[in-house]
């Protein structure tokens, strides 16, 4: 057999082995950067991205009004100073930590069987949030160094309020942006910087009666609040116009992670 044919045969064997590992979800081929789609209704789908560093799935977007209303059909996110927050594509706000937790429980009762195997849905822990928001870099901001790029939705020149502090950019959204237009990080996750504050599972270390929120919102502009290390905290029943959430999911114990569809590089 010629050297060229041996090389081709060896390459084919390597490719076959890699494919076998990928199809069984073994080794280093565990769906890194890939998505699973959970069908909540005939028209509404929840998308999650697998993050190898955390061995878990992370919501590609903040939970939208459309998704939350699959659980609670009468939910209204309301309005702020006459500006609508209730479009199906906008993030669900005016939801408490209790509401977000109940949504996760509903997912586990009704949608735990997914194309990636059985999943257990929950809210993220603070350290998990900081990891996926910064793509594992631990940077001060989700995008890296100051200033923020325009794709992240904070309080900027699009707002016509006289006085007050605002960022020197226009992101085009005076309140919350549709979740698919809320700014993407390098791991394909949207809205981890701005749009709405996101409830986490953790209690605040200094105020144990309160739960932590991360990520700032469309109403924030101060660098301190935009920092990934910044924690905000409220009582679990508290609701407001710029507080929402995202879900994460762990593979059920003993469940292998299969091979969901490849993630797209822009909002799908």
């Amino acid at each position: 057999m010629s050297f060229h044919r041996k090389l081709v045969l060896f390459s084919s064997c390597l490719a076959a082995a890699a494919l076998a590992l990928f199809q069984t979800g073994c080794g280093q081929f565990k769906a890194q950067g890939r998505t699973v789609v959970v069908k909540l209704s005939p028209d509404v789908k929840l998308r999650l991205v697998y993050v190898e560093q955390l061995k878990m799935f992370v919501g590609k977007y903040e939970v939208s009004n459309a998704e939350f209303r699959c659980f609670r059909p009468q939910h209204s996110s309301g309005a702020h100073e006459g500006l609508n927050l209730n479009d199906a594509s906008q993030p669900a706000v005016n939801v408490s930590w209790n509401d977000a937790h109940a949504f996760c429980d509903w997912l586990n009762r009704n949608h735990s069987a997914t194309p990636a195997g059985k999943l257990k849905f929950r809210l993220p822990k603070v350290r998990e949030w900081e990891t996926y928001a910064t793509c594992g870099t631990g940077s001060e901001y989700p995008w890296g160094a100051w200033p923020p790029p325009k794709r992240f939705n904070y309080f900027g020149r699009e707002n016509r309020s006289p006085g007050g502090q605002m960022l020197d950019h226009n992101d085009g959204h005076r309140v919350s942006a549709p979740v698919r237009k809320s700014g993407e990080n390098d791991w394909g996750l949207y809205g981890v910087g701005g749009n709405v504050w996101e409830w986490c599972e953790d209690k605040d270390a200094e105020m144990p009666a309160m739960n932590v929120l991360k990520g700032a919102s469309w109403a924030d502009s101060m660098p301190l609040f935009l920092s990934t290390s910044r924690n905000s905290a409220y009582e679990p029943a508290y609701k407001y116009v710029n507080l929402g959430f995202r879900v994460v999911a762990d593979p059920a114990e003993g469940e292998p992670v299969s091979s969901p569809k490849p993630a797209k590089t822009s909002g799908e």
Side-chain angles (χ1 to χ4, degrees), residues 191-241:
V192 290
N195 213 30
V196 295
W197 286 93
E198 300 178 9
W199 287 110
C200 290
E201 184 67 29
D202 310 55
K203 296 289 186 181
D204 186 90
E206 298 180 0
M207 299 176 288
M210 299 187 178
N211 285 85
V212 174
L213 297 108
K214 301 287 287 186
S217 77
W218 53 266
D220 296 297
S221 61
M222 294 180 62
L224 172 65
F225 292 126
L226 275 56
S227 171
T228 54
S229 62
R230 172 74 182 191
N231 289 353
S232 186
Y234 289 102
E235 293 178 350
Y238 184 77
K239 304 179 182 185
Y240 200 57
V241 294

Side-chain angles (χ1 to χ4, degrees), residues 13-260:
C13 290
L14 282 179
L19 179 60
L21 282 171
F22 184 80
Q23 289 174 337
T24 58
C26 298
Q28 298 302 310
F29 294 85
K30 282 188 177 179
Q32 171 66 39
R34 304 179 73 82
T35 61
V36 61
V37 178
V38 181
K39 195 172 184 179
L40 304 184
S41 79
D43 301 315
V44 179
K45 298 173 182 176
L46 179 72
R47 288 176 167 82
L48 302 102
V49 176
Y50 188 76
V51 175
E52 173 67 29
Q53 286 84 339
L54 295 171
K55 301 293 189 293
M56 59 187 261
F57 288 91
V58 176
K60 187 176 180 71
Y61 310 105
E62 294 154 333
V63 172
S64 69
N65 284 313
E67 292 161 352
F68 194 72
R69 284 197 279 261
C70 290
F71 158 64
R72 190 169 289 170
Q74 303 306 313
H75 173 76
S76 173
S77 286
H80 176 70
E81 297 183 352
L83 300 171
N84 183 41
L85 301 169
N86 206 38
D87 189 85
S89 64
Q90 288 175 284
V93 295
N94 278 313
V95 292
S96 66
W97 182 91
N98 293 333
D99 295 329
H101 217 268
F103 180 79
C104 293
D105 290 341
W106 173 78
L107 287 175
N108 287 325
R109 289 193 305 270
N110 297 280
H111 298 285
S112 62
T114 78
K118 190 171 184 179
L119 299 181
K120 183 177 181 180
F121 295 91
R122 59 180 174 84
L123 296 178
K125 297 176 182 177
V126 167
R127 292 305 178 194
E128 293 168 342
W129 189 96
E130 292 174 351
T131 296
Y132 62 69
T134 65
C135 300
T137 66
S139 59
E140 186 172 3
Y141 303 101
W143 58 86
W146 194 264
K150 293 181 181 179
R151 69 181 184 273
F152 290 99
N153 181 19
Y154 297 112
F155 192 85
R157 297 294 177 189
E158 70 279 357
N159 293 281
R160 297 188 288 272
S161 301
Q165 183 170 344
M166 61 176 63
L167 295 173
D168 190 20
H169 79 215
N170 186 336
D171 55 53
H173 302 284
R174 294 181 63 192
V175 288
S176 63
V179 295
R180 299 184 183 197
K181 297 182 179 180
S182 56
E184 182 183 16
N185 75 1
D186 289 341
W187 282 1
L189 304 173
Y190 285 73
V192 290
N195 213 30
V196 295
W197 286 93
E198 300 178 9
W199 287 110
C200 290
E201 184 67 29
D202 310 55
K203 296 289 186 181
D204 186 90
E206 298 180 0
M207 299 176 288
M210 299 187 178
N211 285 85
V212 174
L213 297 108
K214 301 287 287 186
S217 77
W218 53 266
D220 296 297
S221 61
M222 294 180 62
L224 172 65
F225 292 126
L226 275 56
S227 171
T228 54
S229 62
R230 172 74 182 191
N231 289 353
S232 186
Y234 289 102
E235 293 178 350
Y238 184 77
K239 304 179 182 185
Y240 200 57
V241 294
N242 62 341
L243 307 186
F245 70 106
R246 157 189 334 259
V247 298
V248 299
D250 301 305
E253 188 174 352
E255 284 281 325
V257 178
S258 59
S259 306

